[in-house]
Each structure stands twice: as structure tokens, then as C-alpha cells.
Amino acid sequence: MDLFDAELGGGRDEPEAGEGRGCSTATLVAVGILVLMAVLMHTFFGWVGDLFSAVFS
């Protein structure tokens, strides 16, 4: 999987771009887990904020 291409159009037309190494499956899984954790933290702290605003209002 080559996500980090030198050109957004999907080609390697620039000679200085080099071969490229791509992106491993482990990297994609790690990024997915980090994004999931960020979404869960945002949801959790949103609930905590709603709880505090209901209790202390």
C-alpha cells in the first residue's frame, strides 16, 4: 500500500521522489487505534461535561 506518494494525482512523475516505501499494515492499525481512542475520549469527556453541568446547574 503506497499512501505517501510524491504526487497527489497518484503517480511518481517527479524523479526526486524516489522509490517510496509505502505504509505497513501495522502502521494503519496503530493509526486506526489512535483515532478510535481519540473519538472515545471525546465522547467520554462530553458525557462527563454534560453530567457536571446537570449536577451543578
Side-chain angles (χ1 to χ4, degrees):
M1 210 179 295
D2 192 0
L3 298 179
F4 304 107
D5 202 344
E7 192 178 301
L8 291 177
R12 292 205 174 272
D13 296 335
E14 299 177 21
E16 66 271 5
E19 247 181 61
R21 291 182 13 204
C23 188
S24 70
T25 305
T27 304
L28 292 177
V29 169
V31 169
I33 289 172
L34 290 174
V35 168
L36 180 64
M37 284 176 55
V39 169
L40 291 175
M41 285 176 57
H42 177 75
T43 304
F44 173 75
F45 285 118
W47 288 339
V48 170
D50 291 342
L51 178 67
F52 281 153
S53 66
V55 169
F56 295 116
S57 63

